[in-house]
Amino acid sequence: MFEQPIPTLRRDGEVVHVLDQTLLPFRTETVALRTLAEAAHAIRSMQVRGAPLIGATAAFGVALALADEGADDATLAHALATLGATRPTAVNLHWALERMRLALQPLQPAARVRAAWAEAEAIRADDTATCDAIGRHGVRLIREIAARRPGPVRLMTHCNAGWLATCGAGTALAPVYAAQAEGIAVEVFVSETRPRNQGLLTAWELRAAGVPHILIADNAAGLLLMRHEVDLVITGADRIAANGDTANKVGTYLKALAARVAEVPFHIAAPHSTLDFASADGAAIPIEDRGADEVLHVRGEAADGATAELALAPAGTRAANPAFDLTPAALITGIVTERGIARPGELARLYPEQAR
Ligand SMILES: CSC[C@H]1O[C@H](OP(=O)(O)O)[C@H](O)[C@@H]1O
C-alpha cells in the first residue's frame, strides 16, 4: 500500500492535523484543527484541497464540531450546513457529509461523538484503499504503452490529483506511482494550473518521489499534444455526472479538446465518492467561482527565500475566476475507478448500487 510521505490528514485525539497546502511547495507546515470553524476555513481557504481530501476533512470537521459544541440535532445540522457551504463543486464533500448524517442522525446524542470519529476514520480508510485500487487498474494503461514502444511513457496531467489531494496515493498520479513501483519508465508533463498553480504541488510530489517530470505553462499543452510528445493524458475529477460529463480544475476541458484532435487518449481517474448520479449531465454540476485576487496575484519565493505575493495587474483590474470546467463525456476515453476502467457512459454498470 502507498505510504504518504507526510500525512495529508492526521488525527491526534480530538485534534486533526492537516498539511497546509497554501504554503507548499516552499514550506511544509501542518495546521491543527480543533473546531468546526477551523475545519471549514481549512477547506474554504484551500489549506486542504483536492476532492477526496476535502471530503475526508469535512467528515472529521463534523466530529470536531460535535466534540467541541455538543451533539444535539441542532449542532449536527449546523455542522453539516457549515461544511457543506465551503465549496460547491467537489461532490466528495457532499457525499462525505451525507454519509456522516446517515450515520449520526439516528443515534442518541450521547453516542454521536464516538460514532462521528469512527465514521470519519472509515471514510479516510475507504479513500486510502480506493486510491491504491485506482493505481492498480490505471497502471495497465501505462504498461500497455510501454509494451508498444521503447523509452519512457510520456504522460500529461493537470492540477494536482496526487497523494496531496487524497488520503492515499492520489487518483491521477496513483497509476504513475504504481508504474514507478513496477520499474516502468515514465515522464510526466505537469501543467502549472493557473491561477492557484496546483501543478507546482504535482511537481513537488513527483520530485520527492523521483519521478521525471517537466513543468509546463498551461497553454503549452496544446503544442505538445499536436507534436505527439504525449502518450496519455490523465487528470483527476471533482464531480462526474451520470453520463460521464466531468468537472475538474479549469483548463482540463482545453486539454481534452487538444488531446482529441491529436488522437491522444484522455483519461479521468476518480473514486466512487466523485460519482454523482443525481446530476444527469455536466449542466447540473455547480462550478465554483473563486475570488478575483487569485487571478490578479501570484505567490512565490523571493531570492532571499521569503515567500512573496505579487500583484500581476494594476489595482481595479477586473478578473473572472471559475475554479473548474466541464469536459463532455464524448472527449473522455475512459474513467479509471477502484472497480476498473469504464467508458464514460458505463458508470452505472460499474456502480449499480449508486446509479439507482
Ligand atoms: C484527486 S482529484 C483532485 C481535484 O481537486 C482539485 O481541485 P482543488 O485543488 O481546487 O481542490 C483539482 O480539480 C483536482 O483534479
Side-chain angles (χ1 to χ4, degrees), residues 46 49-52 87 159-161 165 171 198 236-238 248-249 324:
M46 295 175 64
R49 49 141 302 276
R87 295 190 73 189
C159 196
N160 172 259
T171 58
Q198 289 95 325
D238 291 80
N248 194 50
K249 186 52 53 200
F324 300 96

Side-chain angles (χ1 to χ4, degrees), residues 109-352:
R112 284 176 175 167
V113 173
R114 173 188 295 270
W117 288 117
E119 194 67 12
E121 290 288 6
I123 288 171
R124 184 217 326 236
D126 173 84
D127 187 59
T128 301
T130 55
C131 288
D132 279 338
I134 288 169
R136 286 195 302 275
H137 290 298
V139 72
R140 174 166 65 82
L141 299 170
I142 301 173
R143 212 183 281 133
E144 287 169 355
I145 295 167
R148 286 202 302 267
R149 54 178 288 282
V153 177
R154 304 160 304 172
L155 299 122
M156 178 182 284
T157 194
H158 186 60
C159 196
N160 172 259
W163 61 264
L164 283 169
T166 69
C167 300
T171 58
L173 295 189
V176 172
Y177 292 132
Q180 184 191 36
E182 284 187 21
I184 300 172
V186 297
E187 188 170 65
V188 186
F189 287 108
V190 177
S191 190
E192 62 176 342
T193 315
R194 281 279 294 146
R196 289 293 297 255
N197 291 343
Q198 289 95 325
L200 301 179
L201 305 184
T202 296
W204 181 80
E205 271 196 43
L206 295 176
R207 177 190 174 100
V211 175
H213 58 281
I214 301 167
L215 184 66
I216 62 171
D218 294 322
N219 296 329
L223 181 65
L224 292 167
L225 288 160
M226 179 184 280
R227 286 177 171 167
H228 297 286
E229 295 183 25
V230 180
D231 299 308
L232 170 68
V233 181
I234 186 165
T235 76
D238 291 80
R239 191 182 299 223
I240 302 174
N243 73 338
D245 289 353
T246 294
N248 194 50
K249 186 52 53 200
V250 67
T252 303
Y253 171 51
L254 292 176
K255 286 183 172 59
L257 280 173
R260 175 51 50 91
V261 171
E263 297 180 345
V264 173
F266 181 92
H267 280 78
I268 297 284
H272 64 87
S273 52
T274 306
L275 305 181
D276 174 17
F277 288 99
S279 293
D281 57 32
I285 298 177
I287 299 296
E288 178 184 14
D289 279 308
R290 293 186 66 88
D293 272 358
E294 293 182 354
V295 177
L296 297 171
H297 294 80
V298 69
R299 208 170 45 78
E301 185 174 75
D304 64 2
T307 51
E309 183 162 300
L310 301 175
L312 294 174
T317 301
R318 294 177 62 196
N321 185 13
F324 300 96
D325 62 20
L326 294 165
T327 298
L331 294 178
I332 299 171
T333 310
I335 298 176
V336 184
T337 75
E338 72 275 9
R339 294 186 183 177
I341 301 174
R343 299 194 57 76
E346 296 173 348
L347 290 168
R349 173 183 62 74
L350 215 48
Y351 292 89

